[in-house]
Amino acid sequence: MQDRHIINLCQKGEYDLAFNCIVQAYSERLYWHIRRFVCSHEDTDDLLQDVFVKTWSALPSFRGDSQLYTWIYRIATNETLNRLKKLRREYAFSLESVSSVLATRIEEDPYFNGNALQRELHKAIQKLPQKQRLVFNMRYFDEMKYEDIAEITGTSVGALKASYHHAYNKISETLKKTFID
Amino acid sequence: MKNHDKDILKDTPGIKQVPFSVPENYFGELKADLQKIPQHTEHSISTRIKWGRAVAIAASLTLLIAAGRLLMERSAYENIFTEEDFLVYSDDLDIIIDEEYSNLYATTHSMTDEDIIEYLLAIGIETEEVESY
């Protein structure tokens, strides 16, 4: 309903109003979406600014061919993946892998207020391959439809289901080993 | 055994909850900051418009090149015989100058009736016909 209203504003050329509605509706959701990937409040805050600058810049080119929410999530996901790519380049010659850097961030995060199981869950997610991490976060936490994830990531629904299945099993096994065995 | 069969991701209460917090009043300040973006950021030209422009430029260039080529081909066709060729060909021509005709053409403006009659007879017109003129 809100998306329909925003699209109508865009079609009327009232981009300022449309953008304000997007900020109200999406800033918090996108914050958590990004935060799960970069595991740091500062990086998330920085990335979120970039995402909204891109969203504002590209707003007149949004024609409503796709859903507004998948369009915005695609921008956020691309920005996040680019940031992680940059991080990988920074650690290319380091003995430390990016997944262990992200796991350390979770370990040392002053804003982490979950329990031990949640901490291990989020550390295990960082060890997944990128595509599996993407689909796991969007499906498990945000409970998005596969069709929407497919639109955001540009991957087929079948491939996403397979990736999610692998990711789910890997994480279950890791957590079982730590907390049940 | 029972614990081992448990789906930890599904059956653990609260596991999906966000385990992170944010600084106090963060989202309120964030929204206020984000709403300032339109004041200092311009819209970018959409990809569709960029492509449209690129296609228009490409089409204009193609037309320009095609027209240029056509013009070059045409002028090359017109100049198929160069001045040199003309001189070579003109060497092959036998120029026969009939003095009588040459004199005749040269003096058309001062021809008398007698000259005309003489000419008509010379080209084989009968005397009767000449007289009828």
Side-chain angles (χ1 to χ4, degrees), chain B residues 90 93-97:
Chain B
S90 60
L93 293 174
D94 292 325
I95 300 170
I96 303 159
I97 300 169

Side-chain angles (χ1 to χ4, degrees), chain B:
Chain B
M1 188 65 195
K2 199 182 171 186
N3 254 355
H4 213 80
D5 293 337
K6 183 182 169 184
D7 185 342
I8 203 162
L9 287 170
K10 203 174 163 187
D11 303 331
T12 311
I15 194 171
K16 283 189 183 184
Q17 280 172 10
V18 179
F20 306 104
S21 62
V22 291
E24 210 178 331
N25 199 27
Y26 171 70
F27 286 116
E29 286 170 12
L30 174 75
K31 285 174 188 171
D33 283 348
L34 294 176
Q35 281 169 349
K36 288 177 195 159
I37 288 173
Q39 293 165 20
H40 53 77
T41 315
E42 284 182 12
H43 293 302
S44 62
I45 304 167
S46 80
T47 319
R48 208 174 293 190
I49 293 170
K50 275 184 195 166
W51 270 107
R53 281 187 186 174
V55 168
I57 291 168
S60 312
L61 279 173
T62 310
L63 268 172
L64 210 67
I65 291 165
R69 201 187 159 131
L70 200 73
L71 274 171
M72 279 168 69
E73 275 177 9
R74 216 172 144 184
S75 61
Y77 176 76
E78 279 170 357
N79 293 333
I80 196 160
F81 291 109
T82 60
E83 200 176 336
E84 203 176 297
D85 292 332
F86 178 74
L87 290 172
V88 169
Y89 283 112
S90 60
D91 284 348
D92 296 337
L93 293 174
D94 292 325
I95 300 170
I96 303 159
I97 300 169
D98 187 323
E99 285 208 1
E100 272 184 38
Y101 289 153
S102 140
N103 288 338
L104 187 70
Y105 290 130
T107 56
T108 309
H109 61 278
S110 59
M111 274 194 297
T112 60
D113 289 345
E114 277 175 18
D115 292 334
I116 294 167
I117 290 163
E118 202 176 313
Y119 167 69
L120 290 172
L121 290 172
I123 62 171
I125 295 187
E126 295 298 319
T127 319
E128 293 79 20
E129 281 180 79
V130 173
E131 279 170 357
S132 70
Y133 287 111

